């Protein structure tokens, strides 16, 4: 066996992470809706792992970043441009689309705006727990249940142990899980596979990818 | 084909020995005589499709008070101040005890007699339980309080392989429980009861056999008052066949219309209304604990026992439960209880016990538990969807084109969340046709209107994703609003003026603004007081 062959075999070990190389995993990705971002993170938001967003203050386009992907997963087919679809196909498509859940959002998710992105709001569940312990429990249950395709949670204060539990739950449920945390946790360790620090820019949103299992780290800007 | 001559004289003459052969058709033939016979009119019943099986329990009252089988035993009731024997078992009968004998006389006759008082409530409970059991064989069951069970078995004959095997099966089961039974069947429920009361265990499956079967029954099987029976006896009428030869209007006049109707019901000329047995609508079970439960961990195994009983109950009836009430009893304190309500009638015990467990985790039980009780209100499940036998969504599988997530799963998940967090904290969203932004959305019940889409004109792409629950008053500097720095507008003004009809009218100028940190805000100026407010954030 040649040395290159042995090296290649060694590198195929999934426990070894190679930076600078897009490691192609067979996990599913949900297309983000932003072409440049798709290229950076290996095709889209990864399923079965935790995606972490870090931001200082709301209102900088953080939810708009995930809305196109959510709209694709829970589409409101009636108001897309495919009005020529027959009713049977429409029903079949709607029955196949998944559910989304918002857990402990900082403000009220505004229904007309959500519908404006093409999301089917009848497949969205909003949970408003009292304490962060409850929020953590809800997120873990939602991830494990297998019902939701998109689980989005907001946590002001969550420790690494809890994050690890969420990561395991996401693996069990194989859905797209994302959490929003304050930016001061950017320097602390986290088991999330994808960590993005969101900053506002002039007319656009700056994304600093801090950790990326599916591609390079760096900064890019998107319009959202 | 003989005809009875001068039928109207039969009243005062000794009943003639039966000369008619068993073909009873001629007895029903109308005659030219002025006084039409009781047995004359043909059955006006349409083609009789029922077959009623009557099971009589002669020793029901003995069974209800748990009398022993091996020694002579009897049950007495108090009638007009005297204690009379109501029923006795075979051994007592052999010793000479009869029904209606006074209890003292019975004891004098047989000092070793085990005599107990009749318990009506226990008998009724036993009959209800037997009625419940009988539902396994047929859905049409009627319980007679005189200790008889009526089953309509025409529909069950095919399933159970004919009347003989059905009877054998029933008698095996009942004998195994220690019941002594007499079974008889007839197309009419009343006729079946007569046969059972007369201890004639025949199967009369067709109408034409009925008359032959009933002909020789004694009058006592009709369960008429003693005075009426005496009256008929004095007239020389001793059997049912004799009774049938009496003229109808004479019978009605001298004996009574009610008894005429009774006879008609037995022969199918008059319909009989029966009370059908319905299984109880609520499930109530109680578990008395041998030792008090001291720790919370030990409660769950006891609860599982109660849930197992509920599961058997629901399975037998093919029904579901909608509301559960669990109660824990304590010594000398008020019991602790909690209730669980599910939105749709649930047949799955696992789901109910899961909800119960979630509730139990949050419950504080103040004292050791001495007994548990479970009460459930049950109802018929409206839509039973057949469980998907082959396909299941395994967790952890990579789901490409999403498998159908059934609404039942979502509803159950929501119920679990609601039990833990509270109903008001889990909701869906709805768009409302309103210009006022704070009323343009509402909380909705998820999964309630599956396919109703958002009307196209209500979708507004210029609205922010976050709406503040209460608009925030902004400080102004030189008449310009500031929020963590100066704000610069990004869009033209949008005036919203609406709501004069319910007293919450608004008149606002909305702007999309951005501050120098880059946060995009949705602010408005109230036209009435020129105050600036922050209403939403463009996330």
């Amino acid at each position: 066996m040649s040395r290159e062959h042995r090296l290649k075999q060694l590198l195929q070990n999934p426990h070894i992470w190679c930076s600078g190389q897009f490691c192609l995993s067979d996990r599913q990705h949900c297309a983000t809706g932003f072409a440049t971002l798709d290229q950076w993170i290996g095709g889209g938001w990864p399923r079965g792992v935790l995606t972490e967003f870090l931001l200082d203050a709301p209102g900088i386009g953080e939810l708009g970043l995930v809305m196109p992907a959510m709209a694709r997963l829970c589409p409101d087919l009636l108001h897309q441009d495919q009005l020529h679809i027959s009713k049977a196909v429409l029903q079949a498509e709607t029955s196949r689309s998944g559910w989304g859940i918002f857990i402990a959002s900082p403000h009220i998710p505004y229904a007309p705006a959500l519908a404006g992105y093409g999301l089917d709001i009848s497949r969205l569940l909003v949970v408003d727990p009292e304490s962060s312990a409850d929020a953590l429990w809800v997120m873990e249950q939602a991830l494990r249940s297998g019902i939701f395709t998109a689980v989005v949670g907001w946590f002001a204060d969550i420790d690494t142990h809890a994050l690890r539990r969420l990561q395991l739950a996401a693996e069990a449920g194989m859905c797209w899980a994302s959490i929003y945390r304050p930016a001061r946790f950017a320097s602390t360790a986290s088991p999330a596979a994808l960590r993005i620090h969101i900053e506002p820019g002039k007319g656009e949103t700056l994304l600093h990818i801090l950790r990326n299992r599916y591609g390079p780290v760096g900064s890019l800007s998107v319009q959202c | 084909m003989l005809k009875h001559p001068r039928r109207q004289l039969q009243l005062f003459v000794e009943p003639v020995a039966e000369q008619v052969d068993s073909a009873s058709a001629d007895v029903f033939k109308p005659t030219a005589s002025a006084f039409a016979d009781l047995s004359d009119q043909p059955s006006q019943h349409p083609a009789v499709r029922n077959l009623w099986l009557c099971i009589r329990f002669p020793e029901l009252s003995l069974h209800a008070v748990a009398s022993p089988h091996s020694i002579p035993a009897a049950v007495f009731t108090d009638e007009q101040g005297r204690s009379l024997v109501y029923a006795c078992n075979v051994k007592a009968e052999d010793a000479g005890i009869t029904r209606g004998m006074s209890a003292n006389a019975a004891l004098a006759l047989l000092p070793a007699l085990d005599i107990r008082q009749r318990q009506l409530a226990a008998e009724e409970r036993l009959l209800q339980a037997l009625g419940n059991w009988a539902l396994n064989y047929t859905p049409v069951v009627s319980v007679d309080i005189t200790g008889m069970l009526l089953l309509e078995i025409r529909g069950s004959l095919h399933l159970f392989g004919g009347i003989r095997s059905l009877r054998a099966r029933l008698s095996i089961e009942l004998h195994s429980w220690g019941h002594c039974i007499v079974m008889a069947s007839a197309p009419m429920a009343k006729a079946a009861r007569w046969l059972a009361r007369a201890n004639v265990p025949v199967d009369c499956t067709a109408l034409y056999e009925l008359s032959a079967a009933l002909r020789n029954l004694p009058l006592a099987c009709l369960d008429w008052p003693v005075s009426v029976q005496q009256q008929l006896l004095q007239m020389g009428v001793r059997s049912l066949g004799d009774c049938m030869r009496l003229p109808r209007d004479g019978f009605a006049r001298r004996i009574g219309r009610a008894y005429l109707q009774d006879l008609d019901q037995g022969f199918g000329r008059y319909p009989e209304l029966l009370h059908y047995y319905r299984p109880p609508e609520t499930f109530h079970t109680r578990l008395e604990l041998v030792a008090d439960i001291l720790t919370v961990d030990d409660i769950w195994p006891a609860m599982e026992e109660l849930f197992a009983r509920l599961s058997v109950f629901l399975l037998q009836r093919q029904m579901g439960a909608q509301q559960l009430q669990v109660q824990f009893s304590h010594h000398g304190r008020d019991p602790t209880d909690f209730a669980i309500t599910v939105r749709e009638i649930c047949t799955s015990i696992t789901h109910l016990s899961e909800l119960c467990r979630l509730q139990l985790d949050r419950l504080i039980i103040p004292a050791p538990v001495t007994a548990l009780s479970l009460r459930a209100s049950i109802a018929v499940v409206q839509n039973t969807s057949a469980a998907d036998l082959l396909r299941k969504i395994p967790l952890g599988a990579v789901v490409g084109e999403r498998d159908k997530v059934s609404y039942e799963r979502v509803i159950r998940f929501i119920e679990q969340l609601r039990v833990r967090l509270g109903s008001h904290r889990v909701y869906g969203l709805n768009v409302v046709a309103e210009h006022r932004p704070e009323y343009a959305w509402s909380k909705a019940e998820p999964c309630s209107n599956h396919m109703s889409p958002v009307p196209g004109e209500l979708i507004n792409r210029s609205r922010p994703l976050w709406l503040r629950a209460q608009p925030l008053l902004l400080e102004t500097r030189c008449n310009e609003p500031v929020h963590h720095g100066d704000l610069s507008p990004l869009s033209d003004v949008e005036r919203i003026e609406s709501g004069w009809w319910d007293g919450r009218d608004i008149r606002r100028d909305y702007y999309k603004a951005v501050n120098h940190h880059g946060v995009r805000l949705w602010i408005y100026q109230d036209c009435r007081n020129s105050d600036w407010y922050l209403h939403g954030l463009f996330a």
Side-chain angles (χ1 to χ4, degrees):
Chain A
M1 209 187 287
S2 66
R3 265 195 299 185
E4 286 91 13
H5 191 76
R6 263 186 287 162
L7 196 61
K8 219 175 181 182
Q9 266 204 322
L10 192 65
L11 286 175
Q12 271 170 6
N13 188 338
H15 294 293
I16 296 178
W17 177 72
C18 303
S19 139
Q21 194 183 29
F22 295 155
C23 63
L24 301 160
S25 60
D26 56 352
R27 284 186 202 276
Q28 294 271 329
H29 287 260
C30 317
T32 60
F34 303 101
T36 44
L37 184 59
D38 274 345
Q39 282 175 4
W40 278 72
I41 59 174
W45 304 115
R47 284 204 214 217
V49 288
L50 211 56
T51 306
E52 197 178 332
F53 295 107
L54 302 147
L55 67 162
D56 282 312
I60 52 176
E62 75 278 13
L63 201 57
L65 190 62
V66 304
M67 281 314 292
M70 277 197 79
R72 205 161 300 207
L73 290 174
C74 323
D76 183 14
L77 291 164
L78 222 51
H79 293 108
Q80 306 218 345
D81 297 326
Q82 306 120 325
L83 290 171
H84 56 277
I85 300 177
S86 69
K87 190 151 187 210
V89 175
L90 192 72
Q91 283 191 1
E93 285 289 314
T94 316
S95 69
R96 270 216 305 269
S97 62
W99 284 68
I101 181 169
F102 282 173
I103 303 169
S105 53
H107 300 286
I108 300 167
Y110 197 38
L114 292 168
Y117 273 91
L119 182 71
D120 184 6
I121 55 174
S122 65
R123 289 177 171 266
L124 184 68
L125 203 63
V126 179
V127 182
D128 180 27
E130 255 176 330
S131 63
S132 59
D134 279 342
L136 184 60
W137 178 81
V138 174
M139 183 138 188
E140 199 177 342
Q141 294 300 314
L143 289 170
R144 280 189 195 278
S145 71
I147 298 171
F148 300 99
T149 38
V151 180
V152 187
W154 281 262
F155 297 95
D157 197 0
I158 184 174
D159 61 352
T160 322
H161 175 65
L163 278 174
R164 176 117 291 261
R165 278 176 60 183
L166 290 180
Q167 166 76 15
L168 292 171
E171 268 170 43
M174 276 310 278
C175 59
W176 168 37
S178 38
I179 60 172
Y180 287 87
R181 291 175 79 194
R184 64 178 189 272
F185 294 107
S187 47
T188 58
S190 156
L194 185 62
R195 298 185 82 197
I196 300 180
H197 182 184
I198 306 178
E199 269 190 342
K202 284 278 176 290
E204 57 190 11
T205 310
L206 292 172
L207 306 176
H208 305 290
I209 302 182
L210 303 177
R211 184 176 167 202
N212 188 357
R213 203 190 277 183
Y214 309 98
V217 296
S219 304
L220 70 151
S221 67
V222 290
Q223 284 277 0
C224 65
Chain B
M1 301 248 281
L2 294 159
K3 284 194 187 175
H4 288 282
R6 290 201 292 278
R7 236 176 283 220
Q8 57 269 37
L9 294 178
Q10 291 277 323
L11 263 177
F12 308 105
V13 170
E14 222 22 72
V16 175
E18 192 52 53
Q19 284 167 19
V20 183
D21 57 13
S22 59
S24 50
D26 62 326
V27 185
F28 286 82
K29 211 191 284 184
T31 57
S33 66
F35 297 98
D37 230 344
L38 274 172
S39 53
D40 249 355
Q41 289 161 8
S43 168
Q44 270 141 26
H45 228 273
V48 172
R49 299 219 181 276
N50 295 341
L51 182 63
W52 289 91
L53 177 74
C54 177
I55 309 178
R56 187 167 85 96
F57 300 90
E59 295 181 8
L60 184 76
S61 35
L62 292 157
H63 208 91
V65 296
S67 287
H69 297 285
S70 46
I71 60 172
V75 159
F76 71 91
T77 53
D78 286 322
E79 253 175 75
Q80 296 153 357
R82 300 174 59 207
S83 305
L84 300 175
V85 169
Y86 179 76
C88 50
N89 68 1
V90 180
K91 289 208 160 65
E93 266 181 29
D94 292 338
I97 314 285
T98 54
R99 189 188 157 142
M101 195 183 224
S102 98
N104 290 331
L107 278 171
L109 198 63
L110 203 64
L113 183 72
D114 180 298
I115 190 156
R116 299 178 195 207
Q117 185 157 34
R118 184 183 179 199
Q119 303 274 0
L120 272 168
E123 269 181 47
E124 209 178 296
R125 271 203 301 272
L126 194 56
L127 270 178
Q128 298 285 330
L130 286 166
N132 252 346
W133 161 82
L135 284 175
N136 286 335
Y137 292 93
T138 168
V140 184
V141 171
S142 178
V143 170
D144 194 324
I145 50 166
T146 55
M148 290 197 278
L149 213 58
L150 282 162
L151 285 79
E152 203 286 294
I153 55 171
R154 182 74 76 183
S156 321
L157 285 181
H158 190 73
L159 177 63
F160 292 101
I163 183 131
R164 288 230 178 111
S165 64
L166 179 60
R167 279 179 68 134
R169 207 164 145 159
L170 290 169
S171 56
I172 287 171
E173 274 200 56
L174 288 169
H175 282 311
S176 72
W177 293 333
H179 286 288
C180 145
I181 53 169
V182 176
M183 273 201 282
S185 66
M188 312 297 157
K190 195 145 252 185
R193 268 183 282 181
W194 292 342
L195 288 167
R197 259 194 225 114
N199 281 337
V200 177
V202 293
D203 281 322
C204 186
T205 42
L207 198 54
Y208 58 84
E209 297 171 16
L210 193 63
S211 187
L214 296 176
R215 206 178 298 267
N216 291 323
L217 295 183
L219 280 182
C221 76
L222 294 169
D223 212 21
W224 285 347
V226 179
S227 56
V228 172
Q229 289 185 35
Q230 292 278 5
Q231 195 177 5
L232 284 168
L233 213 60
Q234 281 164 3
M235 282 194 259
V237 178
R238 288 198 201 104
S239 69
L240 210 63
D242 300 337
C243 220
M244 292 317 292
R245 280 188 236 118
L246 298 172
R248 288 182 64 87
D249 55 342
F251 189 91
R253 224 177 330 120
R254 297 171 78 129
I255 314 295
R257 264 192 200 285
Y259 306 109
L260 181 63
Q261 196 175 314
D262 231 6
L263 288 175
D264 281 343
Q265 282 173 347
F267 282 89
R269 289 190 212 112
Y270 198 83
E272 185 187 357
L273 286 177
L274 288 168
H275 260 315
Y276 294 139
Y277 174 74
R278 287 269 169 271
E281 293 271 323
T282 55
F283 167 81
H284 180 48
T285 182
R286 197 178 154 85
L287 185 66
E288 297 279 352
L289 298 164
V290 174
D292 291 356
I293 288 181
L294 300 165
T295 58
V296 176
D297 298 328
D298 296 333
I299 288 188
W300 190 246
M303 291 288 308
E304 275 183 350
E305 158 74 29
L306 293 179
F307 274 107
R309 290 184 200 173
L310 176 63
S311 146
V312 167
F313 187 84
L314 292 180
L315 198 64
Q316 274 183 346
R317 284 159 186 71
Q318 291 290 302
M319 286 180 160
Q322 200 165 13
Q323 201 184 41
L324 291 179
Q325 278 154 357
V326 180
Q327 200 181 62
F328 301 124
S329 314
H330 308 288
H331 273 306
R333 290 177 81 115
D334 287 335
T336 329
D337 50 14
F338 64 90
I340 293 168
T341 315
V342 292
R343 210 169 83 177
E344 291 181 352
I345 303 168
C346 176
T347 45
S348 147
I349 291 295
T350 41
H351 179 59
L352 290 169
S353 57
E354 191 56 50
L355 289 180
C356 200
R357 193 162 198 161
L358 280 172
Q359 188 76 300
L360 208 61
D361 286 339
R362 298 171 56 197
L363 197 67
I364 299 170
I365 301 170
V369 176
T370 54
L372 299 100
S373 115
L374 177 65
R375 200 184 285 266
S377 73
I378 50 182
V380 181
V381 182
Q382 292 302 322
N383 308 313
T384 45
S385 54
D388 215 349
L389 198 62
L390 296 172
R391 285 197 63 202
K392 277 180 185 280
I393 305 173
L395 281 182
V398 172
V399 191
E401 285 304 288
R402 193 78 179 129
D403 296 318
K404 179 174 173 181
V405 176
S406 63
Y407 282 113
E408 288 85 43
R409 279 179 69 192
V410 182
I411 287 173
R412 285 192 191 166
F413 183 75
I414 293 171
E415 276 164 7
Q416 285 184 341
L417 291 185
R418 281 182 168 165
V419 164
R420 167 114 177 199
L421 305 172
S423 298
H424 56 287
R425 292 189 179 273
V426 183
Y427 51 89
L429 294 175
N430 214 4
V431 173
V432 180
E434 258 285 353
H435 287 293
R436 293 171 286 180
E438 58 266 28
Y439 300 117
W441 75 282
S442 69
K443 294 189 185 179
E445 183 64 36
C447 307
S448 52
N449 44 356
H450 309 311
M451 291 299 289
S452 76
V454 174
E457 55 271 11
L458 295 182
I459 296 176
N460 201 326
R461 296 170 205 273
S462 66
R463 289 284 178 264
L465 278 170
W466 290 137
L467 191 78
R468 287 186 61 94
Q470 294 294 329
L472 178 71
L473 180 62
L474 297 174
E475 297 164 357
T476 52
R477 200 159 49 198
C478 320
N479 286 342
E480 293 293 317
V482 286
H483 183 68
H484 301 302
D486 287 328
L487 300 177
S488 48
L490 283 178
S491 71
D492 277 340
V493 61
E494 183 189 352
R495 169 159 297 192
I496 299 181
E497 189 172 339
S498 174
W500 54 268
W501 50 87
D502 54 10
R504 288 171 293 197
D505 52 326
I506 63 164
R507 207 157 147 229
R508 302 171 181 165
D509 287 333
Y510 276 86
Y511 297 88
K512 183 173 172 181
V514 63
N515 71 1
H516 70 261
H517 290 294
V519 180
R520 282 168 285 175
L521 313 165
W522 199 45
I523 59 175
Y524 70 85
Q525 183 181 31
D526 197 334
C527 297
R528 278 174 293 193
N529 51 16
S530 306
D531 281 336
W532 288 92
Y533 293 87
L534 170 66
H535 207 175
L537 296 159
F538 285 91

